[in-house]
Amino acid sequence: MDIQTLSPELVLPAEQPLDDAVPAELIDKTFGSDCIDLASIALTSRILAFSDEFFADASNLINPRTPVHRPGVFVPSGAWYDGWETRRHNPESFDWVIIRLGVASGRPKGVEVNTAFFIGNEAPAISVDGCYEIAEGADQVVTEKGFNGWSEVLGKRPCGPSQRQAWKLDGQHGSLTHVRLRMWPDGGIARFRLYGEAVPVWPSDLTQEVELSAAVMGGVAESCSDQHFGGKENLLLPGRGVDMGDGWETKRSRAQGHTDWAIVKLGARAKVNRIAIDTAHFRGNFPQGVMVEGVRLEGNQAVAHDDPAWSALLPVQRLGPDKEFEFGKDVLLKVEERDFTHMKLTIIPDGGVKRFRVFGTRAQ
């Protein structure tokens, strides 16, 4: 019986400058205001191929939810893990998984690898490659063994056990449609995040209505007052979700006159036709009321939630449980006279909203 001996260069990461590493406690702050997770299954990203998933499915990598631990639970392949885990003693240099991003294409700004609960079986190192392939049959082409269109997005980086680790990219990467995560040489990873900005395909007809707030069209939830139970980024996801866990939900307020808010950057400067606010699955914790304000900013100009530049777009409206509410030009204020780059959704006094959709046309 031949016993493979792994050389140190297969197990240990190559020497790389690590000044691009982001401390775990700063990951959300670093990428949370101007990025989305381009690889999330919530954006319809999907796994196209993988080298192995003997112990745990590769599809877990792109689950947007926090990894969970079930000690003592076993399945036919071994201990249950909420992540991707491959066999031991990989005869190749690395295991790999190929992901089709859930946006038309995206520009990456950062990578996160979370090895939560993988202790003693975590991936020693990872690297990431990407490509831009949009021709017919591209999803098949990129999975073929002889495909040589990959370019390096992130060089080999070391991973530790049961921790979040992330790296900022240098901004020199073009748009990507697919990524390949490589794990050197084998082991387990709970979650993979590719932070960046969507590069949407806009209709050539400027009069065609578009969901300008959608994450896949470049919308980004930049900030919020609170997201204790559910993240602000969920507001801009496609579909109506599966439960309260994939909406935006704030903690209970006790102060008189309290409100919560979220600021959304639209994918393009826009004329607004209508707004939809969905409370799907929020039945006993929906907001009592809602209002929307807008502002037009230039370039990288920033705006605070209490800036006097905000102007009313949707006056206060009552909401109800588990329902999508749509507000058109009969309710919206002076929308034909103005265009906007940012929206502020205010909920009264607190609660949960599943989706916030702003429909309109790109301003000419």
Side-chain angles (χ1 to χ4, degrees), residues 4-13 90-94 124-125 156 183-186:
Q4 180 197 23
T5 301
L6 292 178
S7 61
E9 61 268 21
L10 293 184
V11 178
L12 299 176
N90 185 8
E92 305 295 333
S93 299
F94 54 82
K156 196 186 292 186
M183 176 166 59
W184 303 76
D186 53 45

Side-chain angles (χ1 to χ4, degrees), residues 40-41 60-68 82 114 190-191 193 241-247 354:
S40 173
I41 197 172
N60 292 325
L61 285 169
I62 57 177
N63 184 342
R65 302 202 174 191
T66 303
V68 298
D82 186 8
N114 188 345
R191 297 289 188 269
R193 312 287 189 223
V242 296
D243 56 33
M244 287 191 300
D246 57 4
K354 178 56 67 76

Side-chain angles (χ1 to χ4, degrees), residues 81-349:
Y81 277 90
D82 186 8
W84 172 46
E85 186 180 6
T86 64
R87 292 175 175 86
R88 295 187 186 218
H89 315 307
N90 185 8
E92 305 295 333
S93 299
F94 54 82
D95 277 315
W96 53 267
V97 60
I98 295 173
I99 302 168
R100 175 56 169 102
L101 302 183
V103 293
S105 67
R107 281 188 288 264
K109 294 184 177 182
V111 169
E112 179 185 347
V113 167
N114 188 345
T115 55
F117 310 115
F118 285 97
I119 302 174
N121 55 349
E122 74 280 356
I126 61 92
S127 62
V128 180
D129 307 305
C131 67
Y132 181 83
E133 293 288 334
I134 59 173
E136 185 176 351
D139 288 352
Q140 177 62 37
V141 169
V142 301
T143 65
E144 293 173 355
K145 189 173 183 180
F147 178 69
N148 61 3
W150 297 112
S151 61
E152 183 178 279
V153 173
L154 180 71
K156 196 186 292 186
R157 295 293 189 271
C159 294
S162 196
Q163 60 187 277
R164 295 179 70 187
Q165 45 239 315
W167 304 269
K168 291 184 70 173
L169 301 178
D170 59 15
Q172 302 303 309
H173 306 283
S175 295
L176 305 177
T177 55
H178 301 76
V179 292
R180 178 177 64 172
L181 171 64
R182 294 196 278 180
M183 176 166 59
W184 303 76
D186 53 45
I189 297 171
R191 297 289 188 269
F192 169 71
R193 312 287 189 223
L194 183 69
Y195 297 113
E197 58 185 12
V199 181
V201 176
W202 296 104
S204 57
D205 181 0
L206 288 176
T207 66
Q208 183 175 332
E209 186 178 78
V210 180
E211 186 183 341
L212 293 144
S213 56
V216 296
M217 299 306 291
V220 178
E222 293 189 329
S223 59
C224 66
S225 58
D226 180 82
Q227 50 185 343
H228 185 79
F229 293 109
K232 64 187 186 304
E233 66 278 2
N234 293 330
L235 287 167
L236 312 184
L237 295 177
R240 302 190 72 203
V242 296
D243 56 33
M244 287 191 300
D246 57 4
W248 172 51
E249 186 180 2
T250 66
K251 66 172 73 74
R252 294 185 187 223
S253 61
R254 306 299 183 188
Q256 185 92 16
H258 179 86
T259 61
D260 281 313
W261 52 265
I263 294 176
V264 172
K265 179 182 178 181
L266 303 179
R269 184 165 59 89
K271 296 282 189 182
V272 176
N273 294 338
R274 56 193 176 96
I275 291 173
I277 298 170
D278 194 353
T279 59
H281 305 109
F282 291 101
R283 301 183 179 96
N285 48 356
F286 59 92
Q288 296 300 295
V290 65
M291 63 179 291
V292 178
E293 297 164 280
V295 70
R296 173 179 169 173
L297 302 180
E298 301 294 340
N300 295 322
Q301 186 180 359
V303 63
H305 75 94
D306 56 355
D307 194 300
W310 291 107
S311 60
L313 182 61
L314 176 69
V316 175
Q317 305 289 317
R318 290 195 64 83
L319 294 183
D322 198 16
K323 181 180 177 181
E324 185 173 46
F325 298 82
E326 185 167 310
F327 307 98
K329 290 183 178 180
D330 58 326
V331 181
L332 301 179
L333 303 175
K334 299 181 181 179
V335 289
E336 295 182 357
E337 303 173 11
R338 303 178 290 169
D339 50 55
F340 302 93
T341 59
H342 292 69
M343 297 281 120
K344 182 173 74 169
L345 171 68
T346 299
I347 57 175
I348 305 167

Side-chain angles (χ1 to χ4, degrees), residues 4-66:
Q4 180 197 23
T5 301
L6 292 178
S7 61
E9 61 268 21
L10 293 184
V11 178
L12 299 176
E15 292 187 5
Q16 297 267 3
L18 297 181
D19 56 356
D20 56 0
V22 179
E25 65 274 14
L26 296 180
I27 294 174
D28 294 336
K29 181 179 180 180
T30 300
F31 301 113
S33 64
D34 64 350
C35 295
I36 62 172
D37 178 9
L38 300 167
S40 173
I41 197 172
L43 290 181
T44 70
S45 297
R46 59 190 186 278
I47 304 295
L48 297 181
F50 48 82
S51 58
D52 182 75
E53 58 173 3
F54 183 83
F55 288 111
D57 293 350
S59 60
N60 292 325
L61 285 169
I62 57 177
N63 184 342
R65 302 202 174 191
T66 303

